Amino acid sequence: MVLADVPAFTVRAAAGSGKTSVLVLRYLEHVVTQGLRPDQVYAVTFTRKAAAEMKRRVVSRLRADGRAEDARLAETGPIQTIHGLCERLLRENALEAGVDPEFTVLEGPLRTTVQEEAVRHAIRVAPDESPEAAALLQLLGGKRSFRGPGGLHAALRQHVTGLLDALRSSGLTRERLEADYATPEVTVATWAAAMAEDVPALIAEVAGAFDGGWLDRATAAKGTTKAPAWLRPTIAEDLEATARDTCGLMRYVLEAWAALDSEMEARQAFDFALLEAKTVRALEGNPTVRERVRRQVRAVLVDEAQDVNPVQYRLLDALGADRVMMVGDPQQSIYGFRMTDRRLFIDRSERQECFDLSVNHRSRPGVLAFVDKVFQQEWGEGYRPMLAPVASTGDDPFAVVSPPMLGVELWPMEAKATPALAERVAEVVEELGDANRVAVLMRGNRELSEIARHLSLRRIDSRRTGGGERFYARMEVRDVANALQALCDPYDDYTLLCLLRSPFVGLSMDGVVQLADRRPVFDALAEYGQGSDPDRVRVARFLAWFEPLRQRADRVPAWETIGPLLDRSPYLPTVAKRRFGRQTVANVRKLLSLAAGEPGTGARAFAEHVRTIQRLDHREGEALAVDDDTPAVTLSTVHGAKGLEWDTVIVGDTLARLGKPRPDEISRDARRGLVEARLRGKGTAMGDYLRSREKESAVEEDLRLLYVAMTRARERLCVVVGPGPGQDTLAGRVARAVGFPDRLAEGIRVREGSKRPQVDSPG
């Protein structure tokens, strides 16, 4: 492939086709052949890990070629994530962009906390500013579903936060959305205009104002013009009520958006969405910045371009480089929840010169033949096969031979058969003799946690990659937070009783009940701790270590309290003896490490910080419970496995119904700024329209998730299939493609029930 004379082009690179090598070669061509300096070549990757790997390869090659100065520039140069690029550009142009050059990037729990405060502010002020917002609050207050833990605020916060995250990442402006949802009448017009884009043949027949009657006129026209299934008669009262509810909900969202941006401006701490928006604004709106950047940026390389969102595409185009290579694979686009849009890469590939890297060099031929078979059936002519064609040796010289699907196993299972899945994983580990060669991929963290527990019962270690299930919701994290709070305020009876019941003390429930009747509890402890029965002995031991720590807890940072707390109390020895104790101890140590990362935060503030994050359901990954050199099965979500590979991959999450809708009363298409709040149980054609689009997108992304999962395997691919045809599931689609169970494709092995002795389920 000769690319030197092609300034701007795309590369469609299939899984395992060597795209990183192509990116490195193009980088070296710019530097070695074309004479650009490494600080003029901007390479954009999807993750920090990918950026580090590309930088390592580039620097190594430059050093090997004796180009020490170029290697030095590349090591500190712009090989980074898209957000790293935004940060670099804003700091270099801080004055013109109107930011403090020492601004910080807001991410993780702190970003979640700041957003929560903005949402709380919106819930306080929006009802006073908008009659629709006030009416919505009154409506929700009477709904039974809004009377759960946390009450009305928690339920409303969930809806507002979900929409806020999606709309801020869409590239749409707050001003545009304020105009689209200014009143219920304008909301209906916004909906009608959006639906009309998908039914252009109806427009002439229903010409006139986009008002509440538009849907009725369009429905009447169905007799003469083909219309989609979602178009249905709409009762005027339902349309008006739903538009009013939607308008009210959007008032909360937009108020929270304004408050969040204002707080981040005041702090000069920007989250990723605002970081992107500010960079685009500086490049598109300030000629000085634009000209300076265009003189500096001579070439741009973009990895994983199928996962670039619309705002990021604007940013990359605004750099103004005349030499641009974008590498991507629409078949691996799995980040729709981040507002990525694979169509942008496809459109660019159709407009520009496009080169194909289709042959997979990672997986054995039998595995590739299996994956190609499944997805050629699903995607037809649009699918790019990964198996290199092999000509027939028979009479037809143009025939292509497909090898037997060796290395592929189908595991028939019932839904939610986690113990059986763990048994079969254990069999594979036993056969290979090396747990490090095995990965189990699932779509959700909860399923991974279950697999980890069942593997632990079988004395098989596992390590998690790609996130974890709510670290801050773990009981051990709550225990430490309660201990810190009690040390700072021992007269908080509820917290102190929780601490006494926890493994820090181990008081029986009878002891807790007895103490609960003696308020304040802390004053009753000295007398209660006198005696020989087990609970009284435990209280006496507790006071012996609690009192000295209490004297200093409010004067030292949290990490200086947690260390002695764990050292002097019986907590760690107690939990270490329990089932899954290794993971519990690892999580406690991780919490200590997180506290040490905030050396200025006191014990009381850190405990409150942890509780706030628990309320907000922030998903921090659990700590690694095994060392890097310990043999362990890798457990990962499919999203977390992107870019990784293993000898044996087990795809275990295939039995759920395809395109299962989100259990939400809010329908949305955030890319287009479309929202419908179906809070009264009745909706409109707009909601049906959005749900139909959501289902289509969800089915497409479910299939791409399966493709990504399967293409992580080098030697052996094991896929769970159902025992029968069942619903429309990934397992069903795989089974139909390869003729399971009646006409199974050659080479595939079916692993029936485990022959290992069964292990009790975790309690």
Side-chain angles (χ1 to χ4, degrees):
M1 185 189 303
V2 179
L3 303 176
D5 298 329
V6 184
F9 59 93
T10 59
V11 177
R12 287 190 58 148
S17 62
K19 67 180 177 62
T20 304
S21 297
V22 170
L23 284 159
V24 170
L25 288 173
R26 183 63 170 173
Y27 186 104
L28 294 171
E29 181 180 311
H30 286 317
V31 173
V32 177
T33 305
Q34 299 174 2
L36 298 183
R37 297 192 313 273
D39 59 354
Q40 295 176 315
V41 182
Y42 281 56
V44 178
T45 65
F46 195 67
T47 64
R48 294 185 180 102
K49 182 177 180 181
E53 173 60 18
M54 184 176 176
K55 184 169 290 191
R56 184 190 66 77
R57 292 198 196 185
V58 166
V59 171
S60 177
R61 287 287 301 272
L62 290 172
R63 283 176 177 160
D65 290 346
R67 304 178 73 95
E69 179 60 18
D70 284 339
R72 185 188 66 79
L73 286 173
E75 200 153 26
T76 59
I79 301 177
Q80 58 209 3
T81 64
I82 192 79
H83 298 121
L85 171 63
C86 291
E87 187 177 350
R88 175 186 289 261
L89 292 173
L90 279 184
R91 292 197 195 283
E92 291 174 349
N93 300 277
L95 180 63
E96 293 84 356
V99 300
D100 184 336
E102 299 299 319
F103 71 82
T104 58
V105 178
L106 197 63
E107 54 185 323
L110 182 57
R111 187 260 179 200
T112 307
T113 302
V114 173
Q115 177 169 284
E116 162 72 359
E117 287 304 315
V119 173
R120 285 177 181 275
H121 168 81
I123 292 173
R124 285 195 304 270
V125 305
D128 294 333
E129 299 180 354
S130 162
E132 290 80 20
L136 180 66
L137 196 65
Q138 185 174 10
L139 168 69
L140 298 181
K143 287 174 65 69
R144 179 173 297 177
S145 60
F146 279 69
R147 297 175 188 167
L152 175 60
H153 169 263
L156 181 56
R157 174 187 58 77
Q158 185 176 8
H159 283 323
V160 172
T161 301
L163 276 174
L164 180 62
D165 283 335
L167 293 171
R168 289 184 69 242
S169 300
S170 69
L172 301 172
T173 65
R174 191 173 73 246
E175 292 75 18
R176 147 81 186 274
L177 293 168
E178 285 174 341
D180 285 348
Y181 296 91
T183 66
E185 294 74 23
V186 172
T187 298
V188 171
T190 297
W191 291 346
M195 287 186 286
E197 293 177 11
D198 275 9
V199 285
L202 287 174
I203 294 176
E205 300 184 49
V206 295
F210 284 135
D211 54 19
W214 181 87
L215 297 174
D216 296 328
R217 295 197 300 276
T219 302
K222 287 173 70 174
T224 56
T225 305
K226 185 177 180 181
W230 50 260
L231 193 58
R232 63 177 174 84
T234 302
I235 299 173
E237 291 81 3
D238 292 343
L239 179 65
E240 181 183 352
T242 304
R244 188 168 60 249
D245 295 341
T246 303
C247 187
L249 180 62
M250 287 299 291
R251 190 65 257 153
Y252 286 106
V253 172
L254 295 169
E255 190 69 48
W257 187 339
L260 179 58
D261 282 0
S262 177
E263 179 62 20
M264 287 192 288
E265 290 287 357
R267 290 171 176 254
Q268 285 296 285
F270 312 129
D271 69 357
F272 289 155
L274 189 55
L275 199 66
E276 291 174 2
K278 280 185 168 294
T279 308
V280 169
R281 209 174 298 143
L283 287 169
E284 292 182 344
N286 191 303
T288 302
V289 173
R290 185 165 57 249
E291 184 57 32
R292 181 186 299 146
V293 170
R294 291 188 175 185
R295 284 198 306 269
Q296 173 65 26
V297 184
R298 303 292 303 282
V300 173
L301 311 176
V302 183
D303 189 13
E304 304 287 6
Q306 80 280 350
D307 288 322
V308 176
N309 70 34
V311 180
Q312 294 164 352
Y313 261 106
R314 282 175 59 193
L315 166 65
L316 294 169
D317 287 340
L319 294 175
D322 54 5
R323 286 171 267 201
V324 179
M325 178 174 81
M326 290 192 170
V327 181
D329 180 10
Q331 295 175 171
Q332 295 188 73
S333 179
I334 58 173
Y335 291 97
F337 62 90
R338 293 180 181 169
M339 297 301 109
T340 61
D341 189 347
R342 63 195 290 268
R343 293 170 298 183
L344 297 172
F345 179 73
I346 294 172
D347 291 346
R348 188 164 297 230
S349 298
E350 292 172 349
R351 295 196 314 269
Q352 293 181 341
E353 189 92 37
C354 180
F355 300 89
D356 270 326
L357 283 175
S358 59
V359 176
N360 181 309
H361 304 288
R362 170 191 300 155
S363 307
R364 68 187 296 185
V367 171
L368 292 178
F370 173 77
V371 178
D372 282 350
K373 177 76 172 176
V374 170
F375 287 97
Q376 279 174 329
Q377 172 168 300
E378 290 300 327
W379 294 334
E381 294 181 0
Y383 176 67
R384 305 293 178 98
M386 297 177 292
L387 185 65
V390 178
S392 170
T393 56
D395 296 335
D396 184 357
F398 298 103
V400 176
V401 177
S402 181
M405 298 178 187
L406 300 174
V408 175
E409 292 183 10
L410 300 183
W411 294 3
M413 284 189 186
E414 301 283 350
K416 299 182 180 179
T418 308
L421 179 58
E423 288 289 350
R424 296 188 191 180
V425 173
E427 285 182 354
V428 170
V429 171
E430 192 174 285
E431 291 166 8
L432 293 174
D434 184 1
N436 285 330
R437 297 173 59 191
V438 180
V440 180
L441 306 185
M442 309 284 272
R443 283 185 289 181
N445 282 305
R446 181 175 301 172
E447 293 82 2
L448 289 175
S449 294
E450 285 300 307
I451 287 287
R453 294 185 182 99
H454 284 280
L455 289 177
S456 179
L457 290 172
R458 291 153 179 80
R459 300 186 183 281
I460 295 175
D461 286 321
S462 61
R463 63 170 57 89
R464 295 281 286 272
T465 185
E469 184 187 10
R470 296 197 303 276
F471 167 79
Y472 285 100
R474 296 279 302 191
M475 185 56 70
E476 55 269 25
V477 175
R478 298 184 183 204
D479 287 342
V480 174
N482 285 335
L484 293 176
Q485 179 64 26
L487 283 167
C488 295
D489 182 9
Y491 289 97
D492 179 342
D493 287 336
Y494 175 77
T495 301
L496 182 59
L497 288 169
C498 289
L499 175 61
L500 292 170
R501 178 64 178 150
S502 78
F504 276 107
V505 184
L507 212 61
S508 70
M509 185 56 72
D510 286 342
V512 169
V513 171
Q514 290 173 21
L515 283 169
D517 290 333
R518 307 184 188 184
R519 303 295 178 101
V521 173
F522 183 67
D523 287 347
L525 288 178
E527 179 183 347
Y528 188 85
Q530 298 174 8
S532 57
D533 72 81
D535 274 347
R536 294 178 184 273
V537 171
R538 291 184 188 109
V539 168
R541 290 174 179 168
F542 163 67
L543 290 173
W545 60 259
F546 184 82
E547 278 291 351
L549 289 179
R550 185 173 74 88
Q551 303 302 322
R552 60 194 296 269
D554 238 355
R555 303 196 307 271
V556 298
W559 69 273
E560 287 192 35
T561 302
I562 296 174
L565 175 66
L566 298 174
D567 182 51
R568 299 176 191 179
S569 75
Y571 189 83
L572 288 181
T574 301
V575 298
K577 295 174 186 175
R578 295 182 173 182
R579 183 176 285 178
F580 315 120
R582 180 186 292 184
Q583 183 66 63
T584 300
V585 172
N587 285 338
V588 172
R589 288 175 173 163
K590 175 171 180 174
L591 187 66
L592 174 58
S593 177
L594 290 171
E598 300 181 29
T601 303
R604 189 193 302 267
F606 188 75
E608 182 56 37
H609 179 59
V610 168
R611 287 173 169 170
T612 299
I613 295 169
Q614 288 168 355
R615 289 196 301 271
L616 301 184
D617 196 27
H618 177 79
R619 291 182 177 268
E620 170 76 31
E622 289 185 310
L624 293 177
V626 296
D627 298 329
D628 289 341
D629 56 353
T630 301
V633 172
T634 299
L635 305 179
S636 177
T637 62
V638 181
H639 290 99
K642 188 79 160 49
L644 303 177
E645 57 188 74
W646 295 270
D647 285 350
T648 297
V649 167
I650 298 159
V651 183
D653 189 11
T654 60
L655 298 173
R657 185 158 49 97
L658 272 171
K660 189 174 180 180
R662 290 181 296 110
D664 199 344
E665 297 167 299
I666 311 301
S667 298
R668 70 188 188 216
D669 179 349
R671 292 186 186 89
R672 297 169 65 192
L674 300 175
V675 178
E676 188 225 46
R678 188 176 296 201
L679 298 170
R680 299 172 186 267
K682 298 178 180 179
T684 67
M686 185 63 188
D688 294 347
Y689 167 72
L690 289 175
R691 280 170 169 75
S692 71
R693 290 176 63 92
E694 279 185 307
K695 181 174 175 60
E696 290 171 8
S697 297
V699 170
E700 292 169 1
E701 188 146 317
D702 282 347
L703 288 167
R704 294 196 294 271
L705 280 165
L706 179 64
Y707 174 82
V708 169
M710 287 181 171
T711 53
R712 303 305 98 197
R714 288 191 290 253
E715 297 292 330
R716 186 178 191 176
L717 175 62
C718 310
V719 183
V720 169
V721 293
Q727 295 177 318
D728 186 19
T729 63
L730 293 174
R733 302 260 183 130
V734 169
R736 286 194 293 274
V738 297
F740 174 82
D742 302 321
R743 297 180 300 280
L744 198 60
E746 182 186 357
I748 296 177
R749 175 188 176 190
V750 178
R751 184 183 289 264
E752 299 294 348
S754 174
K755 298 180 177 59
R756 290 167 50 90
Q758 293 294 306
V759 179
D760 289 340
S761 297

